[in-house]
Amino acid sequence: MIVLIMLLVLIILLSINVPIAVGLAVTTIVAMVIKQGPSFLIDTGLIMYSGAKNFPLIAIPLFILAGAIMNSSGISRRLIAFASALVGFIKGGLSMITIAASMFFAEISGSAVADVAALGSILIPAMKKKGYPGAFAAAVMSSASSLAIIIPPSIPMILYAVMSQSSVVQLFVAGIIPGVLGGLLMMLASYIYAKRKNLPIEEAFSFTRLKKTAKDAALAFLLPIIILGGIFGGFVTATEGAGLAVVAALIVGAIYRELNFKELFNATIEGGSQTAVVMLLVASSVLLGEFLTVEKVPQAVAESILDFTNNKYAVLAILNVFFLIIGFFLHSAAAIILVIPIVMPLVNSVGIDPVHFGIIVTLNLAIGQQTPPVASVLVTACSVAKADIWDVTKVNVMFIAVLLLVLILVTYVPIVPMSLVEYFYR
Amino acid sequence: MMISLALVVVLGIGFRWAGKALVWYDEVAAAQLAWVTYYGAAYASLKGAHIGVPSIIKSFPISIRKYLFILSKIVVYGFFVLLTYYGFKIMIIISGETLTTVDIPQPLVQSVIPVGSILILISETLNLKNEYNDIMGVSK
């Protein structure tokens, strides 16, 4: 009963635009004070502190910082040049370049919004100049950027790993195949679109140019190899890998001599703010966790669904639909923090591998980033392209369909994400 | 703060590779994350960057919107005032303690809760007018 009232209060608070972190904390505090008396209030201060000092989550600000350094050091420009030499000869080349560059970029940065901001500000104007419809330009950029949270490193995956107590490294490994597959399918979709609309090619294929741009961008490629190699090889933890990423990005930036310190400073402050927004949510979710444990809510949820079905695939279907609906309204970090602690007992009890489930969740959230009204990545892309969200969404439907296809594949053919994990770790 | 956090983590890896693991590295880095969280949150308040759901309130009629806005702000202020009060109380309770691995006073580390909360309250106040205009649909 108290849970339902709490949920109702939370929904009311959220609908009047109280920040989710605050709404969550306040409802929990009220419920706990009613249950346990005012002595819980002093715990609040302690929990809000200890919730924020979570060691594995240090990777989040570090990956954001590494991405910021990369953006202000000329790496994105070099990646685009290389992608252009690689796939620019195909019809609708610029959209291919966008997808390819996003995939490379995803190897380094962990956040999709960062990708849109970094690559979109160069590529979207370029596409519009070549006569691509603005809505299409924004749609390609937006969807391709969501690959960033599927291809490692990925901030939502780090959050998921902490919330579900599974291995970040295995999640990272599991994301590789679905991410690359998604990228290739998106390229196919945009090729079909380009063929129909007769969009121009960029440049004739030239092996010398490919070699030259590859050499220019070589250091940029070295970066993910060092970072991911270090993490996958077990030399460093994910958090330390993130620290390594910062140093590596600084060194590469210094070698390229294109580091723009003013930009870097602003990006760092922005990164600090992004981290804080997520971490405040994490801290208040720890508060909520206390309540959930006392009330045994996750167990109740698990039982009520298990009464209905205990078929693994049916449960996965229910969870998928649930996450897709949540994705319309919630930011990806918020969705993980709110939902994962509640559904995890259910996931474990029907025997779904937590790593497999993590990839499913991440894909759902990637789709959520593309579906308005709450769609952080799409909104950023639209504002760069100065295009209307609904116009963009009409075009974006084909890319969302691609992501859905990958989601279904990943859900029901577990070998797709899990083969590398099985090979390396089990 | 972000940069010093990165520095500590890098030092931590460096020393571990050199065979002399720094015992304080985890604890200090984790505490730094808490600092980034609350001081960063104050900055996010200033920019109105906290994750919320602004679309629903905008669909209410203008006349009610004003009261809903006031209500939402009462909740936000109430929470951070509470956090400030209990944050200070905890600082008094734990006075004299230090971190386990290094000689930094625990109250200083945890001061981030009350001090950060006060900064958030100030930032919220500075940003109040902007946010009100945004909710009421007044263009800047």
Side-chain angles (χ1 to χ4, degrees):
Chain A
M1 190 58 200
I2 193 160
V3 178
L4 285 180
I5 296 172
M6 237 182 98
L7 192 65
L8 197 69
V9 172
L10 181 62
I11 290 172
I12 292 171
L13 287 182
L14 294 190
S15 61
I16 61 170
N17 200 21
V18 171
I20 297 178
V22 175
L24 211 55
V26 169
T27 17
T28 312
I29 292 170
V30 172
M32 284 301 258
V33 168
I34 293 171
K35 289 222 80 125
Q36 301 195 333
S39 63
F40 183 74
L41 285 173
I42 192 102
D43 293 346
T44 310
L46 282 172
I47 294 171
M48 288 300 285
Y49 171 73
S50 57
K53 62 170 185 92
N54 190 323
F55 187 77
L57 293 180
I58 292 173
I60 295 175
L62 294 180
F63 276 127
I64 292 178
L65 187 62
I69 296 170
M70 231 118 31
N71 286 345
S72 41
S73 68
I75 292 177
S76 28
R77 200 178 46 73
R78 279 160 213 262
L79 282 180
I80 293 171
F82 173 71
S84 169
L86 191 65
V87 288
F89 66 95
I90 307 170
K91 234 179 195 341
L94 256 179
S95 57
M96 299 275 169
I97 294 167
T98 305
I99 296 167
S102 295
M103 284 167 72
F104 289 125
F105 212 79
E107 302 278 0
I108 316 167
S109 114
S111 131
V113 178
D115 286 18
V116 181
L119 298 175
S121 52
I122 307 172
L123 285 166
I124 291 176
M127 280 192 264
K128 281 169 103 174
K129 220 162 88 192
K130 292 267 177 172
Y132 288 54
F136 175 71
V140 174
M141 190 66 240
S142 165
S143 291
S145 297
S146 274
L147 292 172
I149 66 166
I150 308 168
I151 298 176
S154 148
I155 290 171
M157 281 184 198
I158 299 172
L159 276 174
Y160 172 87
V162 168
M163 291 287 155
S164 67
Q165 284 157 0
S166 44
S167 150
V168 184
V169 177
Q170 292 187 14
L171 277 165
F172 279 5
V173 172
I176 295 174
I177 294 181
V180 172
L181 191 68
L184 293 177
L185 287 173
M186 275 184 196
M187 285 189 184
L188 186 68
S190 70
Y191 176 70
I192 295 167
Y193 182 90
K195 197 110 196 207
R196 246 186 13 215
K197 300 263 164 166
N198 202 18
L199 295 174
I201 59 170
E202 276 326 291
E203 51 187 307
F205 187 81
S206 132
F207 197 68
T208 17
R209 234 188 90 69
L210 185 63
K211 243 170 52 185
K212 189 187 164 298
T213 53
K215 218 172 115 192
D216 262 357
L219 282 171
F221 289 128
L222 217 59
L223 229 54
I225 294 172
I226 295 173
I227 299 161
L228 295 183
I231 298 175
F232 294 160
F235 302 111
V236 291
T237 63
T239 305
E240 292 169 344
L244 213 58
V246 173
V247 179
L250 272 178
I251 294 174
V252 171
I255 294 173
Y256 284 164
R257 293 175 186 283
E258 285 180 36
L259 212 51
N260 178 337
F261 283 99
K262 195 167 166 279
E263 229 175 75
L264 178 59
F265 179 74
N266 291 336
T268 309
I269 303 239
E270 250 350 281
S273 156
Q274 280 172 28
T275 311
V277 168
V278 173
M279 286 304 301
L280 200 62
L281 255 173
V282 173
S284 42
S285 81
V286 176
L287 214 53
L288 176 72
E290 290 279 309
F291 175 78
L292 293 179
T293 317
V294 172
E295 285 288 302
K296 299 199 172 64
V297 177
Q299 289 79 352
V301 170
E303 273 166 28
S304 64
I305 292 192
L306 289 176
D307 278 347
F308 180 61
T309 171
N310 59 3
N311 179 302
K312 187 170 150 181
Y313 296 100
V315 170
L316 278 176
I318 294 170
L319 287 172
N320 265 333
V321 171
F322 180 63
F323 266 102
L324 285 176
I325 295 171
I326 285 239
F328 279 98
F329 302 104
L330 279 185
H331 191 278
S332 50
I336 291 183
I337 290 164
L338 275 175
V339 179
I340 294 304
I342 298 175
V343 300
M344 233 35 222
L346 172 66
V347 170
N348 288 328
S349 68
V350 290
I352 301 167
D353 187 310
V355 173
H356 179 205
F357 185 60
I359 300 302
I360 295 173
V361 170
T362 312
L363 266 164
N364 269 308
L365 297 177
I367 296 169
Q369 289 177 333
Q370 305 301 328
T371 47
V374 180
S376 49
V377 177
L378 181 70
V379 169
T380 316
C382 289
S383 77
V384 174
K386 297 189 185 66
D388 179 72
I389 292 188
W390 289 110
D391 290 344
V392 176
T393 302
K394 275 180 218 150
V395 186
N396 205 9
V397 165
M398 66 179 179
F399 295 115
I400 295 175
V402 166
L403 285 171
L404 270 175
L405 187 71
V406 178
L407 174 63
I408 293 168
L409 201 65
V410 164
T411 308
Y412 292 109
V413 191
I415 197 75
V416 173
M418 299 307 288
S419 52
L420 286 178
V421 180
E422 298 281 344
Y423 182 76
F424 284 117
Y425 297 102
R426 290 180 186 174
Chain B
M1 217 139 24
M2 290 276 279
I3 292 164
S4 71
L5 177 57
L7 208 67
V8 168
V9 173
V10 171
L11 274 178
I13 311 171
F15 274 88
R16 210 186 64 199
W17 279 352
K20 303 186 188 96
L22 293 176
V23 281
W24 51 267
Y25 135 74
D26 307 42
E27 197 181 12
V28 170
Q32 277 179 308
L33 182 63
W35 279 53
V36 170
T37 302
Y38 285 93
Y39 293 123
Y43 179 80
S45 284
L46 199 59
K47 298 273 162 188
H50 284 290
I51 305 171
V53 188
S55 46
I56 300 173
I57 191 172
K58 286 185 186 163
S59 60
F60 280 99
I62 291 267
S63 50
I64 311 176
R65 242 188 262 176
K66 191 169 148 192
Y67 298 104
L68 293 179
F69 176 75
I70 295 171
L71 182 65
S72 76
K73 286 299 146 186
I74 291 175
V75 173
V76 173
Y77 276 84
F79 175 63
F80 286 108
V81 168
L82 192 89
L83 214 51
T84 311
Y85 176 73
Y86 284 99
F88 274 124
K89 246 187 144 167
I90 290 167
M91 273 176 72
I92 296 164
I93 296 173
I94 60 174
S95 62
E97 291 177 30
T98 61
L99 294 186
T100 359
T101 52
V102 64
D103 226 4
I104 300 172
Q106 190 70 269
L108 176 70
V109 178
Q110 294 209 15
S111 71
V112 65
I113 297 288
V115 177
S117 298
I118 291 173
L119 283 178
I120 292 173
L121 288 171
I122 296 172
S123 306
E124 283 285 334
T125 312
L126 289 175
N127 194 36
L128 210 51
K129 197 162 186 283
N130 273 341
E131 231 179 297
Y132 180 73
N133 287 344
D134 182 44
I135 294 291
M136 300 302 281
V138 183
S139 55
K140 276 168 238 167

